[in-house]
Amino acid sequence: MAYSGAFRRETPPPAPPAPAALRQRKPPQEQEGLSGAVGALMRKIESIHMETDDLIMALILYLMYRESGDKDLLIMLGAMLLT
């Protein structure tokens, strides 16, 4: 006698995925080392709303001040950050 395929084993339907509200999210981990320091600095920069060109100018002025020791560059950097 040939198998007709009439008998099928019942399998339970797959479980639906959990709703997004029920999924537990892990709290963001604070990173350590240089990446943590850079992340903290970027959060502070975002809070004062500096644009990229302002950041580059501040970095250039700071590096020029460190190299020459000219306090006028430091005054310009401070004035730029105040505006």
Side-chain angles (χ1 to χ4, degrees):
M1 194 158 211
Y3 176 68
S4 66
F7 175 75
R8 294 188 182 156
R9 185 176 291 167
E10 290 187 33
T11 57
L22 296 179
R23 291 185 205 139
Q24 292 184 357
R25 294 185 180 177
K26 296 180 182 177
Q29 302 273 336
E30 289 293 327
Q31 296 179 356
E32 297 177 6
L34 182 61
S35 61
V38 170
L41 179 63
M42 292 306 290
R43 283 190 296 276
K44 287 180 184 178
I45 288 172
E46 288 174 359
S47 67
I48 58 174
H49 306 292
M50 289 185 73
E51 295 180 4
T52 306
D53 53 346
D54 295 332
L55 292 173
I56 293 172
M57 179 63 76
L59 181 64
I60 290 171
L61 285 172
Y62 175 71
L63 292 175
M64 288 175 63
Y65 164 72
R66 276 192 51 188
E67 184 176 316
S68 67
D70 188 9
K71 296 198 191 250
D72 291 337
L73 295 170
L74 192 60
I75 293 170
M76 284 190 286
L77 176 63
M80 188 187 83
L81 291 175
L82 289 176
T83 59

Coordinates of all heavy atoms in Angstrom, one line a residue:
M1 N 0.8 -1.1 0.0 CA 0.0 0.0 0.0 C 0.9 1.2 0.0 O 1.8 1.3 0.7 CB -0.9 0.0 1.2 CG -2.0 0.9 1.2 SD -3.2 0.3 2.3 CE -4.5 1.0 1.4
A2 N 0.6 2.2 -0.7 CA 1.4 3.5 -0.9 C 0.9 4.5 0.2 O -0.2 4.5 0.5 CB 1.2 4.0 -2.3
Y3 N 1.9 5.3 0.6 CA 1.6 6.4 1.5 C 0.9 7.5 0.8 O 1.3 8.0 -0.2 CB 2.9 6.8 2.2 CG 2.7 8.0 3.1 CD1 2.0 7.8 4.3 CD2 3.2 9.2 2.9 CE1 1.9 8.8 5.2 CE2 3.0 10.3 3.7 CZ 2.4 10.1 4.9 OH 2.2 11.1 5.8
S4 N -0.3 7.9 1.4 CA -1.1 8.9 0.7 C -0.8 10.3 1.2 O -1.2 11.3 0.6 CB -2.6 8.6 0.9 OG -2.9 8.8 2.3
G5 N -0.1 10.5 2.3 CA 0.3 11.8 2.9 C -0.9 12.4 3.7 O -0.9 13.5 4.0
A6 N -1.9 11.5 4.0 CA -3.0 12.1 4.8 C -2.7 12.3 6.2 O -3.2 13.2 6.9 CB -4.2 11.1 4.7
F7 N -1.7 11.6 6.8 CA -1.4 11.8 8.2 C -0.3 12.9 8.2 O 0.8 12.7 7.6 CB -0.9 10.5 8.8 CG -0.3 10.7 10.2 CD1 -1.2 10.9 11.2 CD2 1.0 10.7 10.4 CE1 -0.7 11.1 12.5 CE2 1.5 10.9 11.7 CZ 0.6 11.1 12.8
R8 N -0.5 13.9 9.0 CA 0.5 14.9 9.2 C 0.6 15.2 10.6 O -0.4 15.4 11.3 CB 0.1 16.2 8.4 CG 0.1 16.0 7.0 CD -0.1 17.4 6.3 NE -0.1 17.1 4.8 CZ -0.7 17.8 4.0 NH1 -1.3 19.0 4.3 NH2 -0.7 17.5 2.7
R9 N 1.8 15.2 11.1 CA 2.1 15.5 12.5 C 1.8 17.0 12.7 O 2.3 17.8 12.0 CB 3.5 15.1 12.8 CG 3.8 15.3 14.3 CD 5.2 14.8 14.6 NE 5.2 13.3 14.4 CZ 6.3 12.6 14.3 NH1 7.5 13.2 14.4 NH2 6.3 11.3 14.2
E10 N 1.1 17.2 13.8 CA 0.8 18.6 14.1 C 2.0 19.3 14.8 O 2.5 18.7 15.8 CB -0.5 18.7 15.0 CG -1.7 18.4 14.3 CD -3.0 18.7 15.1 OE1 -2.9 19.6 15.9 OE2 -3.9 17.9 15.0
T11 N 2.4 20.4 14.3 CA 3.5 21.1 15.0 C 2.9 22.4 15.5 O 2.0 23.1 14.8 CB 4.6 21.4 14.0 OG1 4.1 22.2 12.9 CG2 5.3 20.2 13.5
P12 N 3.3 22.8 16.7 CA 2.7 24.1 17.2 C 3.2 25.3 16.4 O 4.4 25.3 15.8 CB 3.3 24.2 18.6 CG 4.5 23.3 18.6 CD 4.2 22.2 17.6
P13 N 2.4 26.3 16.2 CA 2.8 27.4 15.4 C 3.9 28.2 16.1 O 4.0 28.1 17.4 CB 1.6 28.3 15.3 CG 0.7 27.9 16.5 CD 1.1 26.4 16.7
P14 N 4.8 28.8 15.4 CA 5.9 29.5 16.1 C 5.4 30.7 16.9 O 4.3 31.3 16.6 CB 6.8 30.1 14.9 CG 5.8 30.1 13.7 CD 4.8 29.0 13.9
A15 N 6.0 30.9 18.0 CA 5.6 32.0 18.9 C 5.8 33.3 18.3 O 6.8 33.6 17.6 CB 6.4 31.9 20.2
P16 N 4.8 34.2 18.5 CA 5.0 35.6 17.9 C 6.1 36.3 18.6 O 6.3 36.1 19.8 CB 3.6 36.2 18.1 CG 3.0 35.5 19.3 CD 3.6 34.1 19.2
P17 N 6.8 37.2 17.9 CA 7.8 38.0 18.6 C 7.2 38.9 19.7 O 6.1 39.3 19.6 CB 8.5 38.8 17.5 CG 7.5 38.8 16.4 CD 6.6 37.6 16.5
A18 N 8.0 39.1 20.7 CA 7.6 40.0 21.8 C 7.4 41.4 21.3 O 8.2 41.9 20.5 CB 8.6 39.9 22.9
P19 N 6.4 42.1 21.8 CA 6.3 43.5 21.4 C 7.5 44.3 21.9 O 8.1 44.0 22.8 CB 5.0 44.0 22.1 CG 4.4 42.8 22.7 CD 5.3 41.6 22.6
A20 N 7.7 45.4 21.2 CA 8.9 46.2 21.5 C 8.8 46.8 22.9 O 9.8 47.0 23.6 CB 9.0 47.4 20.5
A21 N 7.6 47.0 23.5 CA 7.5 47.5 24.8 C 7.9 46.5 25.9 O 8.4 46.9 26.9 CB 6.1 48.0 25.1
L22 N 7.8 45.2 25.6 CA 8.1 44.2 26.5 C 9.6 43.8 26.5 O 10.1 43.2 27.4 CB 7.3 43.0 26.3 CG 5.8 43.2 26.5 CD1 5.0 41.9 26.2 CD2 5.5 43.6 27.9
R23 N 10.2 44.1 25.4 CA 11.7 43.8 25.3 C 12.4 44.7 26.2 O 12.2 45.9 26.3 CB 12.2 44.0 23.9 CG 11.7 43.0 22.9 CD 12.3 43.2 21.5 NE 11.4 42.7 20.5 CZ 11.2 43.3 19.4 NH1 11.8 44.4 19.0 NH2 10.3 42.7 18.5
Q24 N 13.4 44.1 26.9 CA 14.2 44.9 27.8 C 15.4 45.4 27.1 O 16.1 44.6 26.4 CB 14.6 44.1 29.0 CG 13.5 43.7 29.9 CD 14.0 43.0 31.2 OE1 15.1 42.7 31.3 NE2 13.0 42.7 32.0
R25 N 15.7 46.7 27.2 CA 16.8 47.3 26.6 C 17.9 47.4 27.6 O 17.6 47.8 28.8 CB 16.5 48.6 26.0 CG 15.6 48.6 24.8 CD 15.4 49.9 24.2 NE 14.5 49.9 23.1 CZ 14.1 50.9 22.4 NH1 14.5 52.1 22.7 NH2 13.3 50.7 21.4
K26 N 19.1 47.1 27.2 CA 20.2 47.2 28.1 C 20.6 48.7 28.2 O 20.6 49.4 27.2 CB 21.4 46.4 27.6 CG 21.2 45.0 27.6 CD 22.4 44.2 27.1 CE 22.1 42.7 27.0 NZ 23.3 42.0 26.5
P27 N 20.9 49.2 29.4 CA 21.3 50.6 29.5 C 22.6 50.8 28.8 O 23.5 49.9 28.8 CB 21.4 50.8 31.0 CG 21.6 49.5 31.6 CD 20.9 48.5 30.7
P28 N 22.8 52.0 28.2 CA 24.1 52.2 27.5 C 25.3 52.1 28.5 O 25.2 52.7 29.6 CB 24.0 53.6 26.9 CG 22.8 54.2 27.6 CD 22.0 53.1 28.2
Q29 N 26.3 51.4 28.2 CA 27.4 51.2 29.0 C 28.4 52.4 28.8 O 28.6 52.9 27.7 CB 28.2 50.0 28.7 CG 27.3 48.7 28.8 CD 27.4 48.2 30.2 OE1 28.3 48.4 30.9 NE2 26.4 47.4 30.6
E30 N 28.9 53.0 29.9 CA 29.9 54.0 29.8 C 31.2 53.4 29.4 O 31.7 52.4 30.0 CB 30.1 54.7 31.1 CG 28.9 55.6 31.5 CD 28.7 56.8 30.5 OE1 29.7 57.3 30.0 OE2 27.6 57.2 30.3
Q31 N 31.8 53.9 28.3 CA 33.0 53.3 27.8 C 34.2 53.9 28.6 O 34.1 55.0 29.1 CB 33.2 53.6 26.3 CG 32.1 52.9 25.5 CD 32.3 53.2 24.0 OE1 33.2 54.0 23.7 NE2 31.5 52.6 23.2
E32 N 35.2 53.2 28.7 CA 36.4 53.6 29.4 C 37.5 54.0 28.4 O 37.5 53.6 27.3 CB 36.9 52.5 30.4 CG 35.9 52.2 31.4 CD 36.3 51.0 32.3 OE1 37.5 50.6 32.2 OE2 35.5 50.6 33.1
G33 N 38.5 54.7 28.9 CA 39.7 55.0 28.1 C 39.4 56.2 27.2 O 38.6 57.1 27.4
L34 N 40.1 56.2 26.1 CA 40.1 57.3 25.1 C 38.7 57.4 24.5 O 38.2 58.5 24.3 CB 41.1 57.1 24.0 CG 41.2 58.2 23.0 CD1 41.6 59.5 23.7 CD2 42.3 57.9 22.0
S35 N 38.1 56.3 24.1 CA 36.8 56.4 23.5 C 35.7 56.9 24.4 O 34.8 57.6 24.0 CB 36.3 55.0 22.9 OG 36.2 54.1 24.0
G36 N 35.8 56.6 25.7 CA 34.9 57.2 26.7 C 35.1 58.7 26.8 O 34.1 59.4 27.0
A37 N 36.4 59.1 26.8 CA 36.7 60.5 27.0 C 36.2 61.3 25.7 O 35.6 62.4 25.9 CB 38.2 60.7 27.2
V38 N 36.4 60.7 24.6 CA 35.9 61.4 23.3 C 34.4 61.5 23.3 O 33.8 62.5 22.9 CB 36.5 60.6 22.1 CG1 35.8 61.2 20.8 CG2 38.0 60.8 22.0
G39 N 33.7 60.4 23.7 CA 32.3 60.4 23.8 C 31.7 61.4 24.7 O 30.8 62.1 24.4
A40 N 32.4 61.6 25.9 CA 32.0 62.6 26.9 C 32.2 64.0 26.3 O 31.3 64.9 26.4 CB 32.7 62.4 28.2
L41 N 33.3 64.2 25.6 CA 33.6 65.5 25.0 C 32.6 65.8 23.9 O 32.1 66.9 23.8 CB 35.0 65.5 24.4 CG 35.5 66.8 23.7 CD1 35.5 67.9 24.7 CD2 36.8 66.6 23.1
M42 N 32.2 64.8 23.1 CA 31.2 65.1 22.0 C 29.9 65.4 22.6 O 29.1 66.2 22.0 CB 31.1 63.8 21.1 CG 32.4 63.6 20.3 SD 32.9 65.0 19.3 CE 31.7 65.1 18.1
R43 N 29.5 64.8 23.7 CA 28.2 65.1 24.3 C 28.2 66.6 24.8 O 27.2 67.3 24.7 CB 27.9 64.2 25.5 CG 27.4 62.8 25.0 CD 26.8 62.0 26.1 NE 27.9 61.6 27.1 CZ 28.7 60.6 27.0 NH1 28.6 59.8 26.0 NH2 29.6 60.4 27.9
K44 N 29.3 67.0 25.4 CA 29.4 68.4 25.8 C 29.4 69.4 24.7 O 28.8 70.4 24.8 CB 30.7 68.6 26.6 CG 30.7 68.0 28.0 CD 32.0 68.2 28.7 CE 32.0 67.4 30.0 NZ 33.3 67.6 30.7
I45 N 30.1 69.0 23.6 CA 30.1 69.9 22.4 C 28.7 70.0 21.8 O 28.3 71.1 21.4 CB 31.1 69.4 21.4 CG1 32.5 69.6 21.9 CG2 30.9 70.0 20.0 CD1 33.6 69.0 21.1
E46 N 27.9 68.9 21.8 CA 26.6 68.9 21.3 C 25.7 69.8 22.1 O 24.8 70.5 21.6 CB 26.0 67.5 21.3 CG 26.6 66.6 20.2 CD 26.0 65.2 20.3 OE1 25.2 64.9 21.2 OE2 26.5 64.4 19.4
S47 N 26.0 69.9 23.4 CA 25.1 70.7 24.3 C 25.4 72.2 24.1 O 24.5 73.0 24.3 CB 25.4 70.4 25.8 OG 26.7 70.8 26.1
I48 N 26.5 72.6 23.5 CA 26.7 74.0 23.3 C 26.6 74.4 21.8 O 26.8 75.5 21.4 CB 28.1 74.5 23.8 CG1 29.2 73.7 23.1 CG2 28.2 74.5 25.3 CD1 30.6 74.2 23.4
H49 N 26.2 73.4 21.0 CA 25.8 73.6 19.6 C 26.9 74.2 18.8 O 26.7 75.3 18.1 CB 24.5 74.5 19.5 CG 23.4 73.9 20.3 ND1 22.8 72.7 19.9 CD2 22.8 74.3 21.4 CE1 21.8 72.5 20.8 NE2 21.8 73.4 21.7
M50 N 28.1 73.6 18.8 CA 29.2 74.1 17.9 C 29.2 73.3 16.6 O 28.9 72.1 16.6 CB 30.5 73.9 18.6 CG 30.8 74.8 19.8 SD 32.4 74.7 20.5 CE 33.4 75.4 19.2
E51 N 29.4 74.0 15.5 CA 29.5 73.4 14.2 C 30.9 72.9 14.0 O 31.9 73.3 14.7 CB 29.1 74.4 13.2 CG 27.6 74.8 13.3 CD 27.2 75.8 12.2 OE1 28.0 76.1 11.3 OE2 26.0 76.2 12.3
T52 N 31.1 72.1 12.9 CA 32.4 71.5 12.6 C 33.4 72.6 12.4 O 34.6 72.4 12.8 CB 32.2 70.6 11.4 OG1 31.2 69.6 11.7 CG2 33.5 69.8 11.2
D53 N 33.1 73.6 11.6 CA 34.1 74.6 11.3 C 34.5 75.4 12.5 O 35.7 75.8 12.7 CB 33.6 75.5 10.2 CG 32.3 76.2 10.5 OD1 31.6 75.7 11.4 OD2 31.9 77.1 9.8
D54 N 33.6 75.5 13.5 CA 34.0 76.2 14.8 C 34.9 75.3 15.6 O 35.9 75.8 16.2 CB 32.7 76.5 15.6 CG 31.8 77.5 14.9 OD1 32.3 78.3 14.2 OD2 30.6 77.4 15.2
L55 N 34.7 74.0 15.5 CA 35.6 73.1 16.3 C 37.0 73.1 15.7 O 38.0 73.0 16.4 CB 35.0 71.7 16.2 CG 33.7 71.4 17.0 CD1 33.2 70.0 16.8 CD2 34.0 71.6 18.5
I56 N 37.0 73.1 14.3 CA 38.3 73.1 13.7 C 39.1 74.4 14.0 O 40.3 74.3 14.3 CB 38.2 72.9 12.2 CG1 37.6 71.5 11.9 CG2 39.5 73.1 11.4 CD1 37.2 71.2 10.5
M57 N 38.4 75.5 14.0 CA 39.1 76.8 14.3 C 39.5 76.8 15.7 O 40.6 77.3 16.0 CB 38.1 77.9 14.0 CG 38.7 79.3 14.3 SD 40.1 79.7 13.3 CE 39.3 80.1 11.8
A58 N 38.7 76.3 16.6 CA 39.1 76.3 18.0 C 40.4 75.4 18.2 O 41.3 75.7 19.0 CB 38.0 75.8 18.9
L59 N 40.4 74.2 17.5 CA 41.5 73.3 17.6 C 42.8 74.0 17.1 O 43.9 73.9 17.7 CB 41.2 72.0 16.9 CG 42.3 71.0 16.9 CD1 42.6 70.5 18.3 CD2 42.0 69.8 16.0
I60 N 42.7 74.7 15.9 CA 43.8 75.3 15.3 C 44.4 76.4 16.3 O 45.6 76.5 16.5 CB 43.5 75.9 14.0 CG1 43.3 74.8 13.0 CG2 44.5 76.9 13.5 CD1 42.7 75.2 11.6
L61 N 43.4 77.2 16.8 CA 43.9 78.3 17.8 C 44.5 77.7 19.0 O 45.6 78.2 19.5 CB 42.7 79.2 18.2 CG 42.2 80.2 17.1 CD1 40.9 80.8 17.6 CD2 43.3 81.2 16.8
Y62 N 44.0 76.6 19.5 CA 44.6 76.0 20.7 C 46.0 75.5 20.4 O 46.9 75.6 21.2 CB 43.7 74.9 21.2 CG 44.3 74.2 22.4 CD1 44.4 74.8 23.6 CD2 44.7 72.9 22.3 CE1 45.0 74.1 24.7 CE2 45.3 72.2 23.3 CZ 45.5 72.8 24.5 OH 46.1 72.2 25.6
L63 N 46.1 74.8 19.3 CA 47.4 74.2 18.9 C 48.5 75.3 18.7 O 49.6 75.2 19.0 CB 47.3 73.3 17.7 CG 46.5 72.0 18.0 CD1 46.4 71.2 16.7 CD2 47.2 71.2 19.1
M64 N 48.0 76.4 18.0 CA 48.9 77.5 17.8 C 49.3 78.1 19.1 O 50.5 78.5 19.3 CB 48.3 78.6 16.9 CG 48.2 78.1 15.5 SD 47.3 79.3 14.4 CE 48.3 80.7 14.5
Y65 N 48.4 78.2 20.1 CA 48.7 78.8 21.4 C 49.7 77.9 22.1 O 50.7 78.4 22.7 CB 47.5 78.9 22.3 CG 47.7 79.1 23.7 CD1 48.3 80.3 24.2 CD2 47.5 78.1 24.6 CE1 48.5 80.4 25.6 CE2 47.8 78.2 26.0 CZ 48.3 79.4 26.4 OH 48.6 79.5 27.8
R66 N 49.5 76.6 22.1 CA 50.4 75.6 22.7 C 51.9 75.7 22.2 O 52.8 75.6 22.9 CB 49.9 74.2 22.6 CG 48.9 73.8 23.6 CD 48.6 72.4 23.7 NE 49.8 71.6 23.8 CZ 49.9 70.3 23.7 NH1 48.8 69.6 23.5 NH2 51.0 69.6 23.8
E67 N 51.9 75.9 20.8 CA 53.3 76.0 20.2 C 54.0 77.3 20.5 O 55.2 77.3 20.8 CB 53.1 75.8 18.7 CG 54.4 75.7 17.9 CD 54.2 75.4 16.5 OE1 53.4 74.5 16.2 OE2 54.9 76.1 15.7
S68 N 53.3 78.4 20.4 CA 53.9 79.7 20.6 C 53.8 80.3 22.0 O 54.7 81.0 22.3 CB 53.3 80.7 19.6 OG 52.0 81.0 19.9
G69 N 52.8 79.9 22.7 CA 52.6 80.5 24.0 C 52.1 81.9 24.0 O 52.1 82.6 25.0
D70 N 51.7 82.4 22.8 CA 51.1 83.7 22.6 C 49.7 83.8 23.3 O 48.8 83.1 22.8 CB 51.1 84.1 21.2 CG 50.7 85.5 20.9 OD1 50.6 86.3 21.9 OD2 50.5 85.9 19.7
K71 N 49.5 84.7 24.2 CA 48.3 84.7 24.9 C 47.2 85.4 24.1 O 46.0 85.2 24.4 CB 48.4 85.5 26.2 CG 49.4 84.8 27.2 CD 49.2 85.2 28.6 CE 50.3 84.7 29.4 NZ 50.2 83.8 30.3
D72 N 47.6 86.1 23.0 CA 46.5 86.7 22.1 C 45.7 85.6 21.5 O 44.5 85.7 21.3 CB 47.2 87.5 21.1 CG 47.8 88.8 21.6 OD1 47.3 89.2 22.7 OD2 48.7 89.4 21.0
L73 N 46.3 84.4 21.1 CA 45.6 83.3 20.5 C 44.6 82.7 21.5 O 43.5 82.3 21.2 CB 46.6 82.2 20.1 CG 47.5 82.7 18.9 CD1 48.6 81.6 18.7 CD2 46.7 82.9 17.6
L74 N 45.0 82.7 22.8 CA 44.1 82.2 23.8 C 42.9 83.1 24.0 O 41.8 82.6 24.2 CB 44.9 82.0 25.1 CG 44.2 81.2 26.2 CD1 43.9 79.8 25.8 CD2 45.1 81.2 27.5
I75 N 43.2 84.4 23.9 CA 42.1 85.4 24.0 C 41.1 85.2 22.9 O 39.9 85.3 23.0 CB 42.6 86.8 24.1 CG1 43.4 87.0 25.5 CG2 41.5 87.9 24.0 CD1 44.2 88.2 25.6
M76 N 41.7 85.0 21.6 CA 40.8 84.8 20.5 C 40.0 83.6 20.6 O 38.8 83.5 20.2 CB 41.7 84.8 19.2 CG 42.2 86.1 18.7 SD 42.9 86.0 17.1 CE 44.5 85.2 17.4
L77 N 40.6 82.5 21.2 CA 39.9 81.3 21.4 C 38.7 81.5 22.3 O 37.6 81.0 22.1 CB 40.8 80.2 21.9 CG 40.2 78.8 22.2 CD1 39.6 78.2 21.0 CD2 41.2 77.9 22.8
G78 N 39.0 82.2 23.4 CA 37.9 82.4 24.4 C 36.8 83.3 23.8 O 35.6 83.0 24.1
A79 N 37.2 84.3 23.0 CA 36.2 85.2 22.4 C 35.3 84.4 21.4 O 34.1 84.6 21.3 CB 36.8 86.3 21.7
M80 N 36.0 83.5 20.7 CA 35.2 82.7 19.7 C 34.2 81.7 20.5 O 33.1 81.5 20.0 CB 36.2 81.8 18.9 CG 35.5 81.1 17.7 SD 36.6 80.0 16.9 CE 36.5 78.6 17.9
L81 N 34.6 81.2 21.6 CA 33.7 80.3 22.3 C 32.6 81.0 23.0 O 31.5 80.4 23.2 CB 34.5 79.5 23.4 CG 35.5 78.5 22.8 CD1 36.3 77.8 23.9 CD2 34.8 77.4 22.0
L82 N 32.8 82.3 23.3 CA 31.7 83.1 23.9 C 30.6 83.5 22.9 O 29.5 83.7 23.3 CB 32.3 84.3 24.6 CG 33.1 84.1 25.8 CD1 33.7 85.4 26.3 CD2 32.3 83.5 26.9
T83 N 31.0 83.6 21.7 CA 29.9 84.0 20.7 C 29.2 82.9 20.1 O 29.4 81.8 20.2 CB 30.6 84.8 19.6 OG1 31.6 84.0 18.9 CG2 31.2 86.1 20.1

